[in-house]
Amino acid sequence: MRIKMRSIFILPLLFFLVQTTKQSKDLDWWETTIFYQIYPRSFMDSDGDGIGDLNGITSKLEYLKELGVGATWLSPMFKSPMYDFGYDIADFYAVHEEYGTMEDFEKLIAKANELDIKIVLDFVPNHGSNESVWFEEALRGHEKYFDYFVWEDGVVDEDGTLHPPNNWNSVFRKSAWEYREEVGKYYLHQFVIGQPDLNYRNPDVVEEMKNVLKFWLDKGVAGFRVDAIAHLFEVDKKMFGGKYPDEPLSGNKVEDPESYDYLDHIYTKDQDETYDMVYQWRDIFDEYKAKDGFTRVMMTEIYASPDITMRYFGDGEREGAQMPFNFVLISDVDGSSSAAEIKYAVDKFLTFKPIDKLANWVAGNHDNSRVASRFSPELVDGINMLVLLLPGVAVTYMGEEIGMVDGYVSWEDTVDPSGCNTDDPINYWTASRDPERTPFQWNAQKNAGFSTADKTWLPVADGYETLNVEIQQATERSHLNVYKALARLRTEPAFRHGRYESVAFNYDVLAFRRWYNGEIYVVVINFRDEVYNLDLTYFENVTGQLEVIVSSVQSPKSSEDAVEADAVQIEARESLVLKVVQ
């Protein structure tokens, strides 16, 4: 064991105090809750077909209540041919048959209401499905529905060969254009071929998608997470002589011309019209609130620079999303990051956000490697401390509360188009999202208690026999019980209303202080295998004895233990929540 101190990293302009802005009045429901993302296909199978469903979710709502979760966001459960597992929607007004019926959805809403759990749905506005009635009617020449999509003539070369209109690539690799003989034109699909982009320069599409929102709001949902919002508009081709222009090369070290990263997407992402559309949707939400006083929440999925992300909050006159997702704990840092880099990532969103808006914290989702795999299993509690105890709204992806890891999915079992489209049976796993979508691990029984089927839609991850909810419920020191303790703790005034400051004590250790009305907490996370002796009196008013409130599962310290503020030994990979003893 080697104990040492390194120099303190302080970024002068980023060492600041942050105060949530609504402490003088009651906070709204969404401002204090934990949002829990459920990927319906993988959460709980109620009918034994190997696929999760709505009744399965309903049967496990008490579990969410016990966690301290107040809202759950469901990945798409709408009617779909499942080329992109629900993100290719054939009918925005219907429930996918593998997931159940509309009656099942209404039962889910009713049960959630009994437990005071809000249901938030995934809204996928950028594209539909090539098996939708809209697209089929377009191919038949129905003018209204033809204009629902983005069409363009191909380019004929000197040999008479027809090519796509331009060089635009799909997010999932290869051309973003697909030819249809029925109409003699190409349609745009920024994602898989089965996901034709909708044309938001058509007022009929704008009205249709507003009607989709109203339909589900009338069903009782509490809001929407908006998918792939950056892709909503393409540049207006009228500005380029009536033809969509080629996108320039990205300049990245990408040699594959069919790769999405080969190009700089200046004509297909982050167009100014996108923000106005978000503001129009928020107007609908606010109209509903005006009727019954209940706030409907909008979250937007955007992986972008801070200045772009912040535009989704609003423009100073019109309101946008309450929660433009903050992905810094996914996109900016991982297990190799220093404490200073993690501090920098955390402070970035707090620095850029409008002073009257809340931050939000997301460390995992259905598109990215799990926390235990991206950082380490030993850091699960520490990352959950960041998500749940930093100032703002917390979002947890199902399984992060028990430290689930990425599952192994063979090339033969891979179904995610992002992996399949690599055409690479060796390196496919680097692009596939299947590993973070493996079935939820309830217990040590068949298929981890997820399903009674002989084969599940994705294989259950190895190790579920010892890593599951049932075992962790029965184990005093478990990720699950740490999570529950953190969920209770975040209801305390210091975390609900309190101020915040942070410091990287050295390369490995990050700490932050939350305080309110004389109550002071310090959260300490050691990201490495070194042991350190810390002087936490660096923080103002942190002196004398500190009480251990929550400790990570591998910590030798227990709750109610006392440590001296000027000599706190932090063990390898240890995470602590400490409280100043008055």
Side-chain angles (χ1 to χ4, degrees), residues 424-443:
D424 184 349
I426 304 299
N427 299 306
Y428 68 94
W429 60 273
T430 61
S432 177
R433 298 165 299 176
D434 289 336
E436 56 263 25
R437 299 177 177 183
T438 56
F440 193 84
Q441 293 159 207
W442 293 104
N443 55 44

Side-chain angles (χ1 to χ4, degrees), residues 222-243:
F224 296 87
R225 173 265 191 185
V226 185
D227 175 74
I229 187 66
H231 302 268
L232 201 64
F233 278 86
E234 300 74 45
V235 71
D236 188 347
K237 66 180 181 180
K238 293 177 183 177
M239 305 294 291
F240 296 87
K243 289 286 185 181

Side-chain angles (χ1 to χ4, degrees), residues 20 31 52 161 166 258 308 313 317 334 396 442 535 543 549 572:
T20 53
E31 296 175 296
T161 303
N166 59 28
E258 293 187 320
I308 289 176
F313 274 121
E317 296 182 2
D334 57 24
T396 291
W442 293 104
D535 182 358
T543 58
I549 303 299

Side-chain angles (χ1 to χ4, degrees), residues 270-333:
D270 303 322
Q271 303 301 304
D272 283 340
E273 297 92 333
T274 302
Y275 309 106
D276 178 70
M277 194 71 258
V278 170
Y279 305 160
Q280 290 186 48
W281 294 334
R282 175 62 184 268
D283 289 343
I284 294 172
F285 288 23
D286 289 347
E287 289 169 10
Y288 274 77
K289 182 178 181 178
K291 296 175 185 176
D292 59 17
F294 176 70
T295 300
R296 276 68 171 184
V297 69
M298 189 194 314
M299 318 174 199
T300 50
E301 182 202 30
I302 171 72
Y303 292 86
S305 62
D307 57 327
I308 289 176
T309 301
M310 298 309 148
R311 293 184 68 181
Y312 286 94
F313 274 121
D315 63 3
E317 296 182 2
R318 301 181 67 188
E319 293 291 331
Q322 291 98 332
M323 291 173 56
F325 271 150
N326 171 21
F327 290 124
V328 295
L329 295 177
I330 294 176
S331 59
D332 291 19
V333 295

Side-chain angles (χ1 to χ4, degrees), residues 26 36 62 95 107 142 149 174 230 296 318 338 341 361 379-380 410 412 427 480 528 541 551 577 580:
D26 290 339
Y36 185 90
E62 284 90 352
V95 174
K107 289 178 181 177
H142 193 303
F149 303 97
K174 304 178 182 179
R296 276 68 171 184
R318 301 181 67 188
S338 69
E341 288 169 328
W361 308 99
L379 288 174
V380 165
S410 69
E412 291 73 23
N427 299 306
L480 180 61
R528 298 291 185 279
N541 296 325
S551 57
V577 181
V580 175

Side-chain angles (χ1 to χ4, degrees), residues 1-37:
M1 179 176 75
R2 190 156 53 112
I3 302 177
K4 58 185 180 181
M5 265 304 274
R6 295 178 185 167
S7 58
I8 294 175
F9 291 83
I10 303 175
L11 301 174
L13 294 179
L14 288 174
F15 184 80
F16 58 88
L17 307 180
V18 175
Q19 183 160 21
T20 53
T21 60
K22 299 185 179 178
Q23 59 178 307
S24 60
K25 61 180 181 179
D26 290 339
L27 297 173
D28 210 342
W29 70 267
W30 63 271
E31 296 175 296
T32 61
T33 196
I34 299 170
F35 288 87
Y36 185 90
Q37 183 197 353

